[in-house]
Amino acid sequence: QVQLVESGGGLVQAGASLRLSCVASARTFSSDAMGWFRQAAGKERDFVAAIGWSYGTTNYADSVKGRFTISRDNAKNTVYLQMDSLQPEDTAVYFCAAHRRGASMTSAIGYSYWGQGTRVTVSS
């Protein structure tokens, strides 16, 4: 089975940085892309960023563009989310997910496999 495990979340102050990691099982590479989503308390799960495995094409939500950077290391079956200039609005549980070919890249329904999530809390 495809398994995804996120790490790197924590408690930080506004303006700080964090780097999230998502280690995927080998079977995850049958997917064409990986994405990061986040879900704040009482809100829907929102798209954050995505990256293609083969070409490294990236996609970012407007709310994080210029502050967050998604990257991948194919040899390590790992994707990263470098988060800079964190704001309280970034507080959420962050999920790594494997994209389903042909599906939406920016909607949760386009992804078939999910990690357990890692919590990010940004204080003022």
Side-chain angles (χ1 to χ4, degrees):
Q1 291 184 331
V2 174
Q3 292 185 309
L4 307 173
V5 181
E6 304 97 333
S7 63
L11 305 171
V12 299
Q13 295 187 46
S17 297
L18 283 173
R19 188 177 76 160
L20 306 184
S21 298
C22 173
V23 180
S25 65
R27 283 180 57 86
T28 302
F29 288 107
S30 64
S31 172
D32 64 338
M34 299 291 292
W36 285 98
F37 288 77
R38 65 187 183 185
Q39 187 166 23
K43 301 189 70 177
E44 296 295 315
R45 190 182 303 168
D46 292 329
F47 171 77
V48 176
I51 187 167
W53 281 118
S54 296
Y55 297 102
T57 303
T58 58
N59 198 334
Y60 296 94
D62 289 341
S63 59
V64 306
K65 199 167 188 177
R67 298 188 298 120
F68 291 10
T69 304
I70 188 170
S71 61
R72 87 280 199 245
D73 186 334
N74 295 41
K76 295 181 178 180
N77 288 17
T78 303
V79 294
Y80 306 94
L81 186 68
Q82 177 67 42
M83 306 185 295
D84 297 323
S85 301
L86 283 163
Q87 304 169 200
E89 307 87 83
D90 297 316
T91 295
V93 176
Y94 284 70
F95 297 91
C96 178
H99 181 250
R100 183 173 64 256
R101 295 178 188 273
S104 173
M105 292 289 292
T106 58
S107 174
I109 63 173
Y111 293 75
S112 297
Y113 301 97
W114 297 83
Q116 292 294 314
T118 184
R119 186 176 298 275
V120 172
T121 302
V122 185
S123 63
S124 301

